[in-house]
Amino acid sequence: MITISETAAEQLKTMLAEQEVPNMFLRLGVTPGGCSGFSYAMGFDDNESDQDVYLEVEGLKVVVSKDDVRFLNGLEIDFEESGMTGGFTINNPNAIATCGCGSSFRTKEEAGNPSAEPC
């Protein structure tokens, strides 16, 4: 369902190890908004729900809300270093349009809630 490159997984594991709360995991999601209609949500969490889908990807516990699975099925996450900086990149096969910064998208079936502000 979701692919995380080895480079991204190592970065996430390092970041998780720095957290002071035990049993943290990676939560992926979608929120309405952004310049294309939906924005990605990616962060650490320790709160689980029966409304979540749990995955093990590259040795990481990944949690996605059941409502967001349709947007994130097939998602690919990578981490790219660029000079003195680096960042996560997302490739979503469900997206038919994305914004220039790559953090916002829309699908064929759903346009979301595009904001008037550019990213």
Side-chain angles (χ1 to χ4, degrees):
M1 176 175 126
I2 293 173
T3 303
I4 300 175
S5 73
E6 185 177 327
T7 304
E10 290 305 316
Q11 184 69 28
L12 289 164
K13 288 175 186 175
T14 298
M15 293 168 70
L16 274 167
E18 295 170 353
Q19 302 300 308
E20 295 182 9
V21 177
N23 301 317
M24 297 285 282
F25 51 84
L26 178 64
R27 180 175 289 280
L28 299 174
V30 173
T31 59
C35 48
S36 293
F38 294 104
S39 292
Y40 297 107
M42 182 169 136
F44 300 128
D45 196 355
D46 65 342
N47 187 14
E48 302 180 44
S49 162
D50 61 352
Q51 296 302 308
D52 292 329
V53 175
Y54 307 94
L55 308 164
E56 180 82 17
V57 183
E58 288 291 326
L60 290 166
K61 181 178 180 179
V62 180
V63 177
V64 178
S65 165
K66 290 178 183 178
D67 292 336
D68 293 343
V69 168
R70 69 183 187 273
F71 298 111
L72 303 177
N73 191 25
L75 192 77
E76 299 171 352
I77 300 173
D78 196 7
F79 186 84
E80 295 180 0
E81 303 257 357
S82 177
M84 301 212 27
T85 64
F88 292 98
T89 61
I90 296 175
N91 178 31
N92 187 345
N94 304 299
I96 63 164
T98 59
C99 66
C101 65
S103 65
S104 176
F105 70 98
R106 75 172 172 221
T107 67
K108 182 178 179 181
E109 292 81 26
E110 297 185 56
N113 186 17
S115 69
E117 296 180 27
C119 42

